[in-house]
Amino acid sequence: MGVRKKQMAERIKAEKKQIAFAKLNNCPTSPRKMRLVADLVRGVKVEKALAILRFNPKEASRKLEKLLLSALANWQAKNEDASVEDADLFVKEIRVDGGSMLKRLRPAPQGRAHRIRKRSNHVTLVLGSNNNIES
């Protein structure tokens, strides 16, 4: 391996150490409802995001709170020597994509049927650190 390639690989590895992510797949909530809660915590510090999710009455906030705690645990596993308080973590990216759809038929009057689409979603949450981006 060449010197430049090795330096680039080490730099990428150091950058990846500062971010942690967690994914929630096939969550049985419509993406539209989940995005309402996800928009509340995008770009917010982790401590404040946990407080927002804990006191939000929507059901989607419970699932996002659990996902945020999982991403936090993933960050701690990568950075065992660093503390969470000093890291100045924030929600760098949160993305809600549509998942698979269960399709059902509901009987309607006069021999017709209406289609019911039971939606699900995939959520990807990425945590970033403010401290090490500057240095």
Side-chain angles (χ1 to χ4, degrees), residues 7-56:
Q7 289 172 346
M8 186 70 167
E10 288 173 0
R11 198 185 86 218
I12 290 172
K13 188 176 179 183
E15 287 174 4
K16 281 189 177 180
K17 194 169 185 179
Q18 298 313 313
I19 63 168
F21 73 98
K23 287 180 77 173
L24 174 65
N25 285 333
N26 294 321
C27 180
T29 312
S30 74
R32 188 174 176 181
K33 290 177 185 175
M34 188 66 86
R35 278 188 200 109
L36 287 172
V37 181
D39 290 341
L40 294 174
V41 296
R42 185 175 287 116
V44 177
K45 291 188 184 287
V46 169
E47 295 83 15
K48 188 175 178 186
L50 281 171
I52 289 170
L53 293 174
R54 185 159 292 135
F55 295 109
N56 194 342

Side-chain angles (χ1 to χ4, degrees), residues 9-124:
E10 288 173 0
R11 198 185 86 218
I12 290 172
K13 188 176 179 183
E15 287 174 4
K16 281 189 177 180
K17 194 169 185 179
Q18 298 313 313
I19 63 168
F21 73 98
K23 287 180 77 173
L24 174 65
N25 285 333
N26 294 321
C27 180
T29 312
S30 74
R32 188 174 176 181
K33 290 177 185 175
M34 188 66 86
R35 278 188 200 109
L36 287 172
V37 181
D39 290 341
L40 294 174
V41 296
R42 185 175 287 116
V44 177
K45 291 188 184 287
V46 169
E47 295 83 15
K48 188 175 178 186
L50 281 171
I52 289 170
L53 293 174
R54 185 159 292 135
F55 295 109
N56 194 342
K58 294 189 179 291
E59 184 202 346
S61 65
R62 307 284 165 262
K63 294 175 182 175
L64 281 184
E65 180 185 2
K66 196 170 178 181
L67 185 68
L68 183 57
L69 289 172
S70 174
L72 199 58
N74 292 344
W75 186 88
Q76 282 179 325
K78 276 186 177 180
N79 304 289
E80 294 166 348
D81 52 337
S83 70
V84 177
E85 291 81 22
D86 298 336
D88 201 24
L89 292 173
F90 69 102
V91 180
K92 187 174 184 179
E93 179 184 346
I94 184 164
R95 195 169 57 245
V96 180
D97 303 318
S100 59
M101 210 181 301
L102 284 174
K103 294 180 179 172
R104 299 287 182 257
L105 290 176
R106 163 158 276 162
Q110 298 178 1
R112 290 184 303 236
H114 293 269
R115 183 176 295 151
I116 293 179
R117 295 185 296 275
K118 297 188 175 196
R119 299 174 188 273
S120 68
N121 64 55
H122 306 311
V123 185
T124 307

